[in-house]
Amino acid sequence: MDEKEIIAKLNDENNFHLTLKVIQFSEDKLALEFINYLKQYNSFIYIDDLDKAYDLLKKAYIEKIDYVVCNNQISFLLPLVSVISSDDLSIIKPFVPVFYYLKDNILIQKLKTYCHKSDYKFYSFKTINNLFVAIRELISF
């Protein structure tokens, strides 16, 4: 199923996906580490493939899963936070805070320039643990 089909299906079902709490990561490795951190606190579902995305979203909605964690391939969801840990800036969306965990100064400058041009808020983290704690504090409302 491609993205347009999924969006059409979601529109037919009153856009239930907008009620889900989504955290989006630019890298699968960091997303999986976050899931290991998160599973001690809340229930979650991980979406990393468009083919299974609709079924997993429906499952998360029906079973009242606390959080949906997704990667950069899922671009039609509205996340509570976008987490950047690679050079892929495609997951940055308007009015969604950007948390980044980057070591490369060139990538950091690229991200800052991109965010400043569009007036997006962004936050830097030096350790993965601090990043995960900040995400958890942000999404626990």
Side-chain angles (χ1 to χ4, degrees):
M1 187 178 306
D2 71 347
E3 191 172 308
K4 287 183 180 183
E5 292 173 5
I6 294 171
I7 292 171
K9 232 175 173 181
L10 290 169
N11 286 339
D12 291 343
E13 297 202 25
N14 298 322
N15 291 313
F16 67 84
H17 67 290
L18 295 175
T19 63
L20 301 173
K21 295 179 183 175
V22 179
I23 304 127
Q24 189 167 27
F25 286 83
S26 66
E27 224 177 14
D28 288 328
K29 181 182 175 223
L30 193 61
L32 295 172
E33 286 181 44
F34 181 70
I35 287 170
N36 284 333
Y37 172 81
L38 187 67
K39 70 179 167 186
Q40 60 186 327
Y41 302 105
N42 301 95
S43 60
F44 66 89
I45 201 159
Y46 181 57
I47 303 174
D48 63 347
D49 185 20
L50 268 177
D51 292 334
K52 300 179 265 180
Y54 178 79
D55 295 331
L56 291 173
L57 287 170
K58 189 72 171 178
K59 178 181 177 180
Y61 180 71
I62 291 170
E63 294 180 11
K64 299 191 182 337
I65 301 290
D66 294 325
Y67 300 104
V68 174
V69 178
C70 66
N71 66 3
N72 58 350
Q73 293 181 9
I74 313 299
S75 63
F76 56 88
L77 295 177
L78 183 62
L80 297 172
V81 63
S82 297
V83 182
I84 306 290
S85 60
S86 69
D87 63 346
D88 181 13
L89 304 180
S90 66
I91 66 170
I92 298 175
K93 296 184 174 61
F95 306 110
V96 175
V98 176
F99 288 3
Y100 70 91
Y101 176 72
L102 295 168
K103 300 290 184 193
D104 186 355
N105 284 333
I106 295 171
L107 293 178
I108 293 169
Q109 281 308 119
K110 182 180 172 184
L111 172 81
K112 286 182 176 181
T113 302
Y114 183 84
C115 289
H116 281 304
K117 282 182 182 177
S118 302
D119 204 25
Y120 299 141
K121 294 198 182 289
F122 58 94
Y123 305 92
S124 169
F125 294 92
K126 302 292 183 203
T127 67
I128 291 176
N129 190 46
N130 289 347
L131 171 67
F132 292 169
V133 168
I135 295 170
R136 193 162 153 257
E137 286 175 4
L138 176 73
I139 62 178
S140 299
F141 54 83

